[in-house]
Amino acid sequence: MHGPWRQEARVAVAHTFALIAADWPAAVARPNPAAYAWNLHTHYVTARTSTSQEQDTAPMYDRLHLTIDRIATLTGTEPAAVTARLATARRRARRRAAPRTTSAR
């Protein structure tokens, strides 16, 4: 990660840690503290960018090589939802990669 994205990532993570630290007892008392942290983080990131849940899920699977169950645990979602998000990300990636055709007049 290079350039302005590196700084944005640092700001997003720092913001997430600050929110968790501000109410630490409540954060760790939650049934799934990792999912709580992930939701805080993704809420902040999506508020500042145009990323989607699919765009967040695909790198965890493709680049970090996390299992679907692990992603589900971290994000506080069901494995079926993770699978659906990955399928949506694949469809969108194929559409973006497909050559564009121009209509003849």
Side-chain angles (χ1 to χ4, degrees):
M1 184 180 352
H2 299 286
W5 292 109
R6 177 175 283 183
Q7 184 60 29
E8 276 294 314
R10 286 181 181 154
V11 169
V13 170
H15 177 78
T16 302
F17 278 124
L19 289 174
I20 293 167
D23 198 8
W24 180 253
V28 296
R30 292 181 174 271
N32 189 340
Y36 172 68
W38 182 256
N39 287 332
L40 289 174
H41 177 72
T42 55
H43 178 74
Y44 179 81
V45 170
T46 56
R48 295 178 55 91
T49 66
S50 61
T51 62
S52 66
Q53 292 176 329
E54 293 81 18
Q55 289 171 309
D56 288 339
T57 303
M60 287 191 278
Y61 186 78
D62 296 333
R63 294 186 185 148
L64 299 177
H65 306 290
L66 300 179
T67 65
I68 289 173
D69 286 338
R70 184 68 177 142
I71 296 168
T73 299
L74 288 172
T75 60
T77 58
E78 294 296 320
V82 172
T83 302
R85 289 176 184 166
L86 288 170
T88 300
R90 301 281 184 273
R91 279 193 304 276
R92 288 181 178 166
R94 280 193 302 272
R95 266 189 244 131
R96 282 191 305 270
R100 300 191 194 270
T101 57
T102 56
S103 57
R105 291 184 181 204

